[in-house]
Amino acid sequence: MGEWDLLGHLLDKVQSHSTVIGKVWLTVLFIFRIMVLQTGAEKVWGDEQSDFVCNTQQPGCENVCYDLAFPISHVRFWILQIIAIATPQLLYLGHVLHVIHVEKKMKERMKKQEELDDQTNLLLKRAYKVPKYTKSSGEISIRGRLLRSYVLHLLAKIALEILFIVGQYLLYGFSLQTRYVCTRFPCPHKVDCFLSRPTEKSVIIWFMLVAACVSLVLSLVELFYLCVKAVKECMARRQDYTVTPVTPPPSERKAFKNRDEMIQNYVNLENGSPENNNMGEIHI
Amino acid sequence: MPLTSSMSWPALYTQLVGANRHATSLGKIWLSVLFIFRVMVLVVAAESVWGDEQSDFTCNTLQPGCENVCYDQFFPVSHIRLWCLQLVFVSTPTLLVAMYVAYRNHRDKRKLLQVCAFAKGQDEELETLKKRRLPIAGALWWTYACSLVFRLLFEAGFMYALYVVYDGFQMPRLVQCDQWPCPNLVDCFISRPTEKTIFTVFMATTSSICMVLNVAELVYLVIKAFTRDFPWVTQN
């Protein structure tokens, strides 16, 4: 896996900050796509140009016909595809690392605050922010901005995957024919050119296509799963939400009839409103 | 064995990651972009595209030696070699920073040993010295800024060299050559010109992205130094 090690190492880091389906997606990527590409596809396409033979003696004709038939080789196309779909994940990793870095700094600041006396503590607590993403166990939970970033990366991945699958279809179709007919200078007339190992190549093309579709389906399922979870949590929170009357503005405020009413109002205010999260919290 | 595999890119990566501990976030992003989008693509993809560049360079002549001289005329330095050199040169300024950090650590270690020669907990202090992350200020700031400027110069230089040697980023399908011993103006056909154009454009794009990152990092460093030395400017 030599050259893919760095990519593997970086994508592994994201694993701990993805959903379960995200982890499955990563495994599919590494085993069914990268490994197959390295061990199988490269050997099959190894003699693609040397064994591309045209029925002509005209020098240069084979070169130009090969160039016309394969503007970019399948293997290179798949390499670019894998790099392209890994990129949104790497951008998400960047965001996660940034969040971890910021939260670490906040925690350090909070530790320093604890050493101050209570009075200054009270004043400073309101001024400083509190770590938002770190759970009590020390892990990062995917919520708020991080969740938004995760969903965006999923959408980008899906879009790129579809783009490359459609691109491959438009360039080559999904199987290779044995014969390619070519009429390009300097070929003197319509020339028959014969590909090397078309059947074996078609098998691998189908395999890589299926792997790409599986990855696409996994990404779609993950998106759907996140949506469903978000809706469920939203509904659950709405049910827990006890409606308390909001304190009326001073002009409309009446004097409390008795002491009990005043205490009840105070208690309501103390309970406060639920946390104001834009996208809600997802515990994965 | 292709040249780049024996050049041991992982060893270079280890060196750069060590030096990159003292880099800004943009520097860390730059390193990842460098290794994933440039080194990996070079080793995994580009090499196989250029692998048969001379063997499949065909000229419309039976004259022996004509293909050799024509190939040599149009490809004085192969793209792959230029990119390897570019990547090596671009990585080198980071080692400047590593050297400076090593010098600082050595100096501080000596001071520490002199000061607390008989104190306990000396080993712990030495450990923290090794693991600490120096703030980018003073001489380190200048070293870092210089390394960024050199990086930019090397990137730009190599991109320009590639553009000049090959007359743009597009690979022609046909070149015409009349070097001795070719008997007349001979048509020579290059192997896989479209694929080569695609990868040349890809590498040029990633090179530009790296240059943009370097410029952004330089601007960030300058602003950071400015706000540190003149804090009253940012206070209203």
Side-chain angles (χ1 to χ4, degrees), chain B residues 57-61 66-67 70-71 74 173-177 182 186-190:
Chain B
F57 181 80
T58 334
C59 289
N60 190 4
T61 179
C66 181
E67 278 181 7
C70 288
Y71 177 81
F74 287 100
R173 208 158 61 220
L174 161 76
V175 290
Q176 290 180 319
C177 163
C182 301
V186 160
D187 288 336
C188 290
F189 299 92
I190 295 169

Side-chain angles (χ1 to χ4, degrees), chain A residues 3-4 6-7 10 42 48-50 58-60 63-64 66-67 70-73 76 79-80 83 87 90 184-186, chain B residues 13 35-37 40-41 43-45 48-49 52 56 58-60 173-174 187 189-195 198-199 202:
Chain A
E3 301 87 16
W4 295 93
L6 172 62
L7 189 69
L10 284 174
E42 301 227 323
E48 51 175 336
Q49 190 168 6
S50 48
Q58 170 63 45
N63 279 21
V64 297
Y66 176 81
D67 185 59
F70 300 106
I72 178 169
S73 163
R76 258 77 67 185
I79 289 170
L80 288 178
I83 293 178
T87 309
L90 294 173
R184 206 192 211 189
F185 173 81
Chain B
Y13 179 70
F35 271 86
I36 294 178
F37 293 92
M40 198 177 87
V41 167
V43 172
V44 172
S48 25
V49 177
D52 55 8
D56 277 339
T58 334
C59 289
N60 190 4
R173 208 158 61 220
L174 161 76
D187 288 336
F189 299 92
I190 295 169
S191 107
R192 312 180 204 242
T194 315
E195 202 165 0
I198 291 175
F199 277 95
F202 182 88

Side-chain angles (χ1 to χ4, degrees), chain A residues 124-155:
Chain A
L124 288 172
K125 237 188 207 172
R126 290 179 203 275
Y128 281 96
K129 291 188 194 164
V130 190
K132 189 175 153 188
Y133 298 101
T134 319
K135 297 194 275 213
S136 47
S137 55
E139 290 172 6
I140 301 285
S141 72
I142 307 180
R143 45 191 280 233
R145 270 215 197 121
L146 213 54
L147 182 64
R148 209 175 300 164
S149 169
Y150 194 76
V151 169
L152 265 174
H153 119 264
L154 272 181
L155 289 170

Side-chain angles (χ1 to χ4, degrees), chain B residues 59-231:
Chain B
C59 289
N60 190 4
T61 179
L62 284 174
Q63 171 65 46
C66 181
E67 278 181 7
N68 282 22
V69 297
C70 288
Y71 177 81
D72 188 58
Q73 181 188 22
F74 287 100
F75 300 99
V77 182
S78 167
H79 285 74
I80 301 280
R81 258 65 73 185
L82 268 178
W83 286 326
C84 278
L85 285 173
Q86 179 178 19
L87 290 169
V88 167
F89 271 84
V90 153
S91 313
T92 317
T94 318
L95 298 176
L96 260 179
V97 175
M99 277 182 351
Y100 175 76
V101 168
Y103 160 73
R104 268 282 287 274
N105 281 345
H106 175 76
R107 195 185 66 182
D108 291 345
K109 191 166 132 182
R110 266 218 308 219
K111 251 192 245 167
L112 195 76
L113 286 170
Q114 278 174 2
V115 166
C116 41
F118 301 103
K120 295 178 194 170
Q122 194 186 47
D123 290 329
E124 285 172 23
E125 294 265 341
L126 282 172
E127 277 301 308
T128 46
L129 197 88
K130 267 190 221 162
K131 287 187 188 153
R132 71 170 170 188
R133 201 182 151 215
L134 293 164
I136 305 181
L140 182 62
W141 186 95
W142 283 103
T143 318
Y144 199 79
C146 272
S147 82
L148 282 177
V149 168
F150 275 114
R151 251 190 241 169
L152 274 168
L153 285 173
F154 286 137
E155 289 267 23
F158 273 93
M159 281 240 299
Y160 179 70
L162 190 77
Y163 190 84
V164 159
V165 167
Y166 289 102
D167 219 8
F169 292 132
Q170 197 187 14
M171 184 70 84
R173 208 158 61 220
L174 161 76
V175 290
Q176 290 180 319
C177 163
D178 62 354
Q179 289 269 69
W180 184 88
C182 301
N184 47 287
L185 194 69
V186 160
D187 288 336
C188 290
F189 299 92
I190 295 169
S191 107
R192 312 180 204 242
T194 315
E195 202 165 0
K196 285 181 181 165
T197 308
I198 291 175
F199 277 95
T200 310
V201 168
F202 182 88
M203 294 297 269
T205 315
T206 45
S207 182
S208 315
I209 292 173
C210 284
M211 277 171 69
V212 165
L213 281 171
N214 284 333
V215 167
E217 201 176 354
L218 201 59
V219 166
Y220 168 75
L221 273 183
V222 166
I223 292 177
K224 201 171 157 182
F226 201 67
T227 49
R228 195 181 49 229
D229 292 339
F230 307 105

Side-chain angles (χ1 to χ4, degrees), chain A residues 254-267:
Chain A
K254 299 176 207 166
F256 290 112
K257 289 201 180 134
N258 53 22
R259 198 165 159 268
D260 289 328
E261 233 181 276
M262 191 175 80
I263 292 170
Q264 180 60 44
N265 190 41
Y266 178 72
V267 166

